[in-house]
Amino acid sequence: MQIIELSSKMSSVAQLLRKERKTTGFVPTMGALHKGHLSLVEEAKKQCDIVIVSIFVNPTQFNDKNDLKNYPRDTKKDIELLKEVGCELLFLPDVKQIYPEPDNRTYDFGNLDKVMEGYYRPGHFNGVAQVVSRLFDIVKPDKAFFGEKDYQQLAIIREMTRKLNYDIEIVGVPTIREDDGLAMSSRNMLLTKEQRKKSTVIARTLFESYNFAKSKSIEETINFVVEKIDNVSGFNTEYFEIVDGDTLQRVNSWDQSGYIAGCIAVYAGDIRLIDNVIYKKEMS
Ligand code: AMP
């Protein structure tokens, strides 16, 4: 696996690959890699000739300085894992490589980023769009792979790609979970043993709510989920919203859309975890 630290070098290597008519699959990450990230790499390998992974903890998407400081980092282990799954290229820039000048670009995502993560983490998605567009400009991949675990992020990236006219196919990859259901996340390693044990309540409740929802209203389903999770000591739901799967706006009844998702953010102590469940997805 070739490791590249300079943006200029990354650009020229990617350009060479295009000249050789090799298709490239790009997987942007913030490191502290786990099987969720690796499943994106595996999907990219299936669909493209060459896989390029980036590891960059993007400061502009952290609205909380402590969260940025405490974000887990383990580049040595990440490199080993990427070698094991057969990643060909790792882009490992520092902040100066991505932002030689401060990035003042702002994006208008309409109502997509006014809700949920966008509401509770102001500026977060603007930072995500800054870094992803910068990475897209450097790598210019054929396809880019993102996890459905970050449900709203995937919708924002699709919108950004459309708006900025990138000729890049965005591929969503299903959430990988621990054996007990917890969605894999780099943040899970920050949980205490006790919090980790209790954290199974999140996925378990979302799965239970899928059946509950079949005979209950939206409001009843929301209350069911929030009550169950908030009953666990030390756990607090920041939001749980049942939304149209495309527009991410709240729905009031199950008939309102053919595509309905439930998205949640929960604080386990100071650690913030997100997850989601799809209640309904009709083929259009
Ligand atoms: P991150 O390093 O957290 O920025 O995540 C990098 C990419 O991995 C994003 O596209 C995430 O949605 C994706 N990802 C994170 N966790 C998972 C998971 N458990 N399953 C699938 N994809 C994931």
Side-chain angles (χ1 to χ4, degrees):
M1 181 174 73
Q2 189 181 356
I3 301 176
I4 298 175
E5 294 183 350
L6 301 180
S7 296
S8 54
K9 173 85 178 169
M10 185 65 248
S11 281
S12 60
V13 169
Q15 197 179 3
L16 197 66
L17 290 169
R18 281 193 296 281
K19 252 192 189 158
E20 292 170 354
R21 303 209 175 275
K22 296 256 200 289
T23 58
T24 49
F26 180 45
V27 181
T29 80
M30 298 205 298
L33 301 181
H34 50 67
K35 285 186 193 148
H37 297 113
L38 300 181
S39 81
L40 302 187
V41 177
E42 273 153 18
E43 191 54 39
K45 276 190 84 72
K46 273 189 214 152
Q47 297 194 24
C48 305
D49 297 327
I50 301 284
V51 178
I52 305 170
V53 173
S54 66
I55 296 179
F56 178 65
V57 182
N58 173 38
T60 74
Q61 74 187 66
F62 284 83
N63 50 326
D64 174 350
K65 280 207 176 86
N66 259 334
D67 189 22
L68 172 62
K69 199 177 104 216
N70 296 331
Y71 198 83
R73 293 165 171 87
D74 193 347
T75 310
K76 231 171 135 187
K77 185 170 158 221
D78 290 345
I79 291 172
E80 288 315 309
L81 289 172
L82 290 173
K83 280 183 184 165
E84 275 170 31
V85 288
C87 167
E88 281 91 359
L89 279 164
L90 169 60
F91 182 37
L92 197 58
D94 65 12
V95 175
K96 274 269 163 260
Q97 288 300 313
I98 297 296
Y99 303 117
E101 313 281 336
D103 192 337
N104 297 316
R105 291 173 299 168
T106 55
Y107 302 87
D108 180 6
F109 294 116
N111 289 324
L112 271 187
D113 69 342
K114 305 284 184 293
V115 296
M116 303 192 289
E117 292 300 283
Y119 179 83
Y120 287 99
R121 301 183 67 189
H124 169 65
F125 285 125
N126 203 69
V128 169
Q130 285 174 340
V131 75
V132 173
S133 71
R134 178 83 177 112
L135 290 166
F136 280 4
D137 289 339
I138 296 167
V139 177
K140 296 192 173 70
D142 295 290
K143 298 188 183 195
F145 296 77
F146 293 86
E148 288 170 1
K149 187 204 151 233
D150 297 281
Y151 192 83
Q152 193 173 6
Q153 169 171 281
L154 179 56
I156 298 264
I157 300 288
R158 287 193 199 282
E159 177 66 5
M160 183 199 83
T161 305
R162 196 186 60 77
K163 263 201 159 151
L164 302 183
N165 277 319
Y166 282 111
D167 186 16
I168 298 170
E169 184 186 333
I170 305 301
V171 182
V173 180
T175 302
I176 302 294
R177 298 178 179 280
E178 301 286 356
D179 290 341
D180 61 15
L182 178 66
M184 288 195 183
S185 163
S186 307
R187 288 195 164 87
N188 293 352
M189 64 176 80
L190 302 173
L191 297 169
T192 64
K193 247 189 168 166
E194 201 192 334
Q195 287 169 334
R196 173 65 189 83
K197 241 182 163 173
K198 290 178 173 175
S199 64
T200 54
V201 71
I202 302 170
R204 192 172 57 244
T205 305
L206 290 183
F207 296 150
E208 283 173 12
S209 79
Y210 180 86
N211 287 325
F212 182 91
K214 286 180 184 158
S215 58
K216 297 290 198 297
S217 70
I218 300 267
E219 201 188 333
E220 286 166 328
T221 308
I222 292 174
N223 291 339
F224 171 83
V225 168
V226 174
E227 271 174 29
K228 276 217 160 181
I229 292 175
D230 289 0
N231 252 335
V232 177
S233 71
F235 280 58
N236 269 305
T237 306
E238 184 167 48
Y239 68 79
F240 174 60
E241 295 194 13
I242 297 183
V243 298
D244 178 286
D246 292 313
T247 66
L248 305 186
Q249 306 308 300
R250 286 183 199 179
V251 290
N252 300 315
S253 87
W254 297 110
D255 299 331
Q256 207 175 317
S257 169
Y259 184 17
I260 295 182
C263 299
I264 196 163
V266 176
Y267 274 101
D270 292 338
I271 312 303
R272 194 169 179 281
L273 304 171
I274 61 170
D275 201 347
N276 60 76
V277 59
I278 306 298
Y279 289 111
K280 185 174 170 186
K281 192 170 186 180
E282 288 167 2
M283 291 298 159
S284 52

